[in-house]
Amino acid sequence: MNINIGERAIGGEEPCYVIAELSGNHGGDIRKAVALLKAAADAGADAIKLQVYRPDTITLNVDHGDFAIPMDNAWAAYKNLYELYEYAHTPWEWLPELFAEAAKLGVELFGSVFDETSVDELEKFAVKAYKIASPEIVDLALLEKVAKTGKPVIVSTGLASLEDICRSVTCLKQHGCEQIILLKCTTAYPTPPAEVNLKTIQHLKDTFQCPAGLSDHTVGIGVSIAAVALGANVIEKHIKLDDGEETVDSFFSLTVAEFQTMLAEIRRAELAVGKVDYSLTPGANKNRNGRRSLYISAPMQQGDIFTELNVKSVRPGFGLDPQYKSLILGRKAGKDLIAGDRLSWDVIQ
């Protein structure tokens, strides 16, 4: 089943849809946010994604207990979840400028939503799709709200069991959403490659009969390219500016140059996947001389017997196929031959 986000079809044999995730890599600076939009668009991203929340729409301003960030967490520098999200969020007053910039760039811009108010906010900008982050997959009221917009919905599965995924897909469909994309995701930052389990992407496709892909939190580009080779319809990857500044997600994000390289290699991988085909391609056909075939290896006169001393399997491949050698040995030459002549049926008596 193919799904359209704007003018772009996703699924089936369509090229992989590549999403640049800005997250909080703007570092609280709208100029950097605009620069990231331009960089992602120039790199060739199909879409750019924001995270649309406010600290008080995603957590409580509590320092103790469950709301304190553990010391072994990647974001332990922030005293609690509220402080982390205060630093990382994209201010909603930026949205008009960001959407206007995306329209000028001709690139799709949409967002992950984290509560019903963020859906209302994005509806002001006529977004073409919504993203549900994996921690929100259990929030059925949010899923219902998003489904009722009638837009395609991309769902990450990083913290979800198969039962959770089934429940979320059922909820979306029950409230009018038939255009669903599921992303395999591992909620670890950065994700060790051994924990990615890319084979799950095809299982998601088969189980839910929808396009599927990868929200990739690994370091580097190799895992995303492997996912495309295994049939991913969508790749989502964090992007940061090449300025060396540390931002909230910079430690597992791609620089603009790396993101551009990833896109180029994804398109190369798609070409390489191709189809099941055992025929010689035009490029390979030019190298037929790399095959072995049968040639005369010593001078012969008409009537001489073909033997191991005057027939040899060698390169290039323009003589008879070596499989016929046993049929030819013991037969007579139909004409005078010299070393290097191709062995063909018309020189055999």
Side-chain angles (χ1 to χ4, degrees), residues 44-334:
D46 294 293
I48 300 166
K49 190 177 74 65
L50 307 171
Q51 294 180 353
V52 183
Y53 63 85
R54 292 189 172 108
D56 57 359
T57 67
I58 199 170
T59 193
L60 301 178
N61 192 6
V62 174
D63 292 340
H64 60 269
D66 296 338
F67 296 88
I69 298 177
M71 292 306 297
D72 61 351
N73 186 280
W75 293 285
Y78 303 91
K79 67 179 181 181
N80 63 5
L81 292 173
Y82 192 94
E83 183 178 291
L84 169 63
Y85 297 135
E86 175 67 38
Y87 172 72
H89 86 289
T90 299
W92 291 14
E93 55 267 27
W94 293 4
L95 296 180
E97 182 174 346
L98 296 180
F99 276 96
E101 186 64 34
K104 284 195 296 184
L105 294 167
V107 65
E108 210 66 64
L109 181 64
F110 55 87
S112 295
V113 287
F114 296 84
D115 81 318
E116 296 183 36
T117 65
S118 57
V119 181
D120 292 333
E121 188 67 23
L122 284 184
E123 279 295 285
K124 298 175 184 177
F125 302 98
V127 293
K128 300 294 197 307
Y130 283 94
K131 170 77 186 296
I132 300 295
S134 61
E136 276 61 49
I137 198 171
V138 294
D139 189 341
L140 299 185
L142 177 61
L143 294 177
E144 178 180 344
K145 176 89 171 180
V146 170
K148 288 180 176 178
T149 68
K151 313 286 177 63
V153 179
I154 303 168
V155 181
S156 271
T157 63
L159 291 176
S161 66
L162 184 57
E163 181 182 357
D164 291 330
I165 300 168
C166 290
R167 188 185 304 112
S168 68
V169 170
T170 298
C171 179
L172 289 168
K173 289 184 175 181
Q174 283 177 341
H175 293 94
C177 179
E178 292 293 335
Q179 299 187 82
I180 301 167
I181 298 170
L182 297 175
L183 299 187
K184 175 67 179 77
C185 173
T186 306
T187 307
Y189 306 95
T191 303
E195 295 183 12
V196 177
N197 295 313
L198 291 176
K199 289 184 177 180
T200 310
I201 294 172
Q202 188 60 49
H203 187 262
L204 288 171
K205 285 186 178 185
D206 294 340
T207 302
F208 297 99
Q209 293 297 295
C210 67
L214 176 69
S215 180
D216 183 10
H217 302 140
T218 64
V219 174
I221 67 175
V223 170
S224 285
I225 294 164
V228 172
L230 289 172
N233 304 118
V234 175
I235 294 293
E236 179 183 84
K237 191 78 172 174
H238 284 62
I239 189 171
K240 63 181 178 180
L241 293 176
D242 305 357
D243 58 6
E245 183 177 335
E246 286 191 16
T247 50
V248 65
D249 292 333
S250 60
F251 63 99
F252 64 91
S253 301
L254 297 182
T255 64
V256 173
E258 291 167 336
F259 195 92
Q260 193 164 22
T261 298
M262 180 190 74
L263 269 161
E265 293 303 318
I266 282 174
R267 301 306 175 213
R268 193 193 306 267
E270 288 172 332
L271 290 173
V273 169
K275 59 186 178 182
V276 177
D277 185 5
Y278 293 101
S279 65
L280 288 184
T281 65
N285 200 48
K286 295 175 184 177
N287 295 308
R288 278 188 64 90
N289 60 350
R291 285 172 61 98
R292 284 179 174 266
S293 65
L294 298 179
Y295 276 82
I296 302 301
S297 59
M300 298 180 67
Q301 294 183 341
Q302 185 176 2
D304 285 351
I305 302 297
F306 291 111
T307 70
E308 294 282 1
L309 299 177
N310 53 36
V311 174
K312 196 168 183 180
S313 171
V314 294
R315 295 181 182 185
F318 301 113
L320 283 176
D321 194 289
Q323 67 176 308
Y324 300 118
K325 186 176 179 182
S326 62
L327 299 177
I328 292 163
L329 296 181
R331 296 177 67 174
K332 295 179 180 180

